[in-house]
Amino acid sequence: MIYARIVGTGSHLPGEPVTNDDLVRRGVDTSDEWIVNRTGIRTRHFAAPGCKSSELALIAARRAIEAAGCAADDIDLIIVATSTPDFIFPSTATLVQAGLDIGNGCAAFDVQAVCCGFVYALATAEKFIRSGSHRRALVIGTDVFSGFLDWTDRSTCVLFGDGAGAVVLEASEKPGVRASVLHADGSHHPLLWVPGAVAGGQVTGDPFVRMDGQAVFKFAVKVLDEVVREVVDLAGVAQDSIDWLVPHQANIRIIQSWAKRLGLPIEKVITTVNLHGNTSAASIPLALDCAVRDGRIRPGHRVVAEGIGGGFAWGAVLFDF
Ligand code: ACO
């Protein structure tokens, strides 16, 4: 049996932390108290104007490759999860391949599942490796949401930040990923979207993030609870064998609500939303890398990564680290 194991993690946050009070100083009609009470967010990072998702991804990728102890040319598959690609095409994954000077012609493509993108990308890469067709995948979540924020819409602009996270996934006889589940229900797409497009040489529609926050909140709490139970059942392991949950970092109240529904001690949940805000596809690999580097997640630990994003698209991956 071939498993896919995470053998290296890396991440990158651009610039200095931006506090809630900094947002007030920049003219957003909000307060530190409101943001902390409703979301748990205290700081986030924003990329410099013009900085692209691939630039953040490259730094995270180099760190993950270094942690894995392999060479960039040993990578034979690159999957980038992003909903803020550098360009309409080519894929951000091909730009990362070029940036890493990988000249071996390996496959490289993007997946788009918004805040659940990393879970979709990891589950996809695992299937390539388990099939035997590929041996070492670079899986990245990267987003520059700041370019899509309407700074006059205080119900969205305070929530998001920019960043990137990456893992190297390698074929192994030792268990790594044990199960993954992916779901989507596109009928909810107007609850969370950027309803703009480019056509006829112009942006058509609205190029900013729009969201019905309360509807997203209710849906997220319900399905995140269900999807963790589902992946645990599929893996055939006991729920109390899970050492760590690494959820998508959108809002501390969403995380607390489903942890309670699952009967899960909050101490087992990795949270970085207070420091990073919602970095969309980057949030899970960023949180994972933080917990690996600070020594909480150690070799042999059992981890569930789970997320939900626009669409809606949601899912979970259970793996032994
Ligand atoms: N600062 C101050 N006041 C605000 C702000 C703000 N940033 N934003 C909204 N308000 C005000 C509203 O205007 C409203 O005022 P009113 O009562 O005078 O009309 C009041 O606060 C309550 O607004 P609600 O939208 O009802 O606030 P709610 O308690 O629902 O919190 C929030 C909003 C934080 C967005 C919440 O709905 C939420 O967390 N939803 C989840 C959405 C999410 O996390 N999305 C991220 C992307 S999706 C994903 O990643 C899963």
Side-chain angles (χ1 to χ4, degrees):
M1 169 93 184
I2 306 173
Y3 289 97
R5 286 190 63 227
I6 293 176
V7 293
T9 66
S11 62
H12 175 62
L13 289 159
E16 294 299 315
V18 175
T19 66
N20 297 332
D21 285 333
D22 290 334
L23 294 182
V24 175
R25 279 191 282 276
R26 291 178 187 192
V28 180
D29 179 16
T30 189
S31 66
D32 178 61
E33 189 190 2
W34 192 96
I35 300 172
V36 171
N37 286 342
R38 303 288 178 118
T39 71
I41 298 168
R42 292 180 184 276
T43 58
R44 75 287 288 146
H45 292 244
F46 293 130
C51 174
K52 309 258 192 209
S53 286
S54 71
E55 294 172 49
L56 306 186
L58 269 173
I59 298 172
R62 287 196 182 102
R63 290 179 178 157
I65 289 168
E66 191 187 353
C70 64
D73 249 353
D74 296 333
I75 304 289
D76 61 7
L77 173 66
I78 302 171
I79 306 183
V80 172
T82 185
S83 43
T84 55
D86 290 22
F87 307 114
I88 291 174
F89 72 80
S91 70
T92 304
T94 59
L95 303 174
V96 168
Q97 185 198 46
L100 290 172
D101 273 330
I102 297 178
N104 61 14
C106 73
F109 61 91
D110 290 0
V111 301
Q112 220 282 38
V114 205
C115 300
C116 196
F118 183 77
V119 169
Y120 266 67
L122 188 61
T124 304
E126 189 266 336
K127 290 178 202 309
F128 274 75
I129 289 177
R130 192 154 41 85
S131 76
S133 67
H134 292 72
R135 288 204 58 78
R136 198 171 286 107
L138 176 62
V139 184
I140 303 172
T142 184
D143 267 311
V144 179
F145 252 61
S146 55
F148 294 89
L149 296 178
D150 175 356
W151 297 103
T152 66
D153 178 3
R154 64 182 182 173
S155 67
T156 54
C157 72
V158 302
L159 303 176
F160 295 93
D162 302 331
V167 302
V168 174
L169 202 62
E170 201 173 271
S172 167
E173 287 174 7
K174 237 172 97 183
V177 175
R178 288 180 176 271
S180 61
V181 284
L182 301 176
H183 293 290
D185 182 348
S187 68
H188 298 287
H189 69 269
L191 297 179
L192 174 58
W193 59 340
V194 178
V198 176
Q202 289 182 336
V203 175
T204 60
D206 181 349
F208 295 119
V209 176
R210 301 298 175 202
M211 179 180 73
D212 177 340
Q214 291 190 1
V216 173
F217 193 104
K218 280 186 201 138
F219 193 88
V221 171
K222 180 176 170 297
V223 299
L224 291 177
D225 165 20
E226 289 167 2
V227 84
V228 172
R229 292 181 201 279
E230 193 182 348
V231 81
V232 165
D233 282 352
L234 192 63
V237 301
Q239 188 179 301
D240 61 11
S241 73
I242 305 300
D243 296 297
W244 298 104
L245 270 113
V246 186
H248 169 51
Q249 309 285 321
N251 184 317
I252 195 67
R253 287 162 54 225
I254 294 181
I255 293 172
Q256 287 165 342
S257 300
W258 68 251
K260 196 170 161 201
R261 282 169 72 118
L262 270 173
L264 200 101
I266 199 75
E267 297 73 37
K268 285 188 166 191
V269 183
I270 305 294
T271 55
T272 51
V273 66
N274 55 328
L275 300 174
H276 303 168
N278 181 347
T279 55
S280 195
S283 91
I284 293 172
L286 259 165
L288 177 66
D289 185 48
C290 286
V292 168
R293 284 177 193 262
D294 71 20
R296 276 177 293 170
I297 297 182
R298 294 194 299 276
H301 280 177
R302 183 161 291 163
V303 181
V304 173
E306 50 92 14
I308 177 165
F312 294 117
W314 66 100
V317 179
L318 187 151
F319 59 92
D320 291 350
F321 185 69

